[in-house]
Amino acid sequence: MSAVVVAAARGWIGTPYVHQASVRGAGADCLGLIRGVWREVHGTEPELPPPYTADWGETGREELLMAAGLRHMARATGGWAEGQVLLFRMREGAVAKHLGILSQAGEDARFIHAYDRHGVVESPLSAPWRARVVARFVFPGA
């Protein structure tokens, strides 16, 4: 299953960043990427997110992405593995607001994410990125 998740995510690389979108090749934000990969792997989504502003993570205090991850996926146990969904807290004291999919584990770890002004890209999971990971999840069936 993890190889299927990573292959699906790689199919989104090059998709432009569009807030609240989830259409491969047309537009996606980080949540839209996860939603799109979910659809490709499992069919329909378990729930549709409500409308959200671009600054929702700056103004809210609820851990919405953490709660959604816990509702629909299992927490990853053990080591880092390809296909895991990564949840990032971008700064101390803020809500976790960024998502990606681990595409390569190990010393040269990489992840796929939708990043403002960059679109969907595969980036090194460098020490600063790794330090921001607050949860790892696995897709159902993985």
Side-chain angles (χ1 to χ4, degrees):
M1 172 66 81
S2 61
V4 172
V5 169
V6 172
R10 284 195 170 123
W12 286 70
I13 292 174
T15 297
Y17 182 90
V18 177
H19 172 69
Q20 258 190 314
S22 183
V23 179
R24 184 166 42 125
D29 60 10
C30 65
L31 177 58
L33 170 64
I34 303 304
R35 292 175 51 218
V37 170
W38 182 291
R39 288 192 307 270
E40 289 181 25
V41 172
H42 289 294
T44 60
E45 298 175 52
E47 70 179 83
L48 291 176
Y52 51 94
T53 62
D55 68 346
W56 73 269
E58 311 307 320
T59 59
R61 301 301 312 155
E62 287 184 74
E63 291 287 353
L64 299 172
L65 292 178
M66 178 73 77
L70 293 170
R71 277 195 306 276
H72 303 294
M73 295 181 274
R75 291 280 302 246
T77 57
W80 297 62
E82 288 86 1
Q84 291 177 351
V85 175
L86 307 177
L87 176 61
F88 298 87
R89 186 178 318 283
M90 301 309 287
R91 66 180 209 292
E92 188 78 28
V95 299
K97 67 175 191 171
H98 190 61
L99 296 162
I101 295 175
L102 190 64
S103 55
Q104 182 176 318
E107 201 171 299
D108 296 320
R110 300 182 66 76
F111 71 113
I112 299 166
H113 60 135
Y115 203 40
D116 192 17
R117 295 183 297 273
H118 294 85
V120 179
V121 296
E122 187 168 9
S123 300
L125 187 62
S126 60
W129 275 113
R130 188 180 290 261
R132 290 180 170 93
V133 174
V134 294
R136 294 176 292 122
F137 299 99
V138 293
F139 275 81

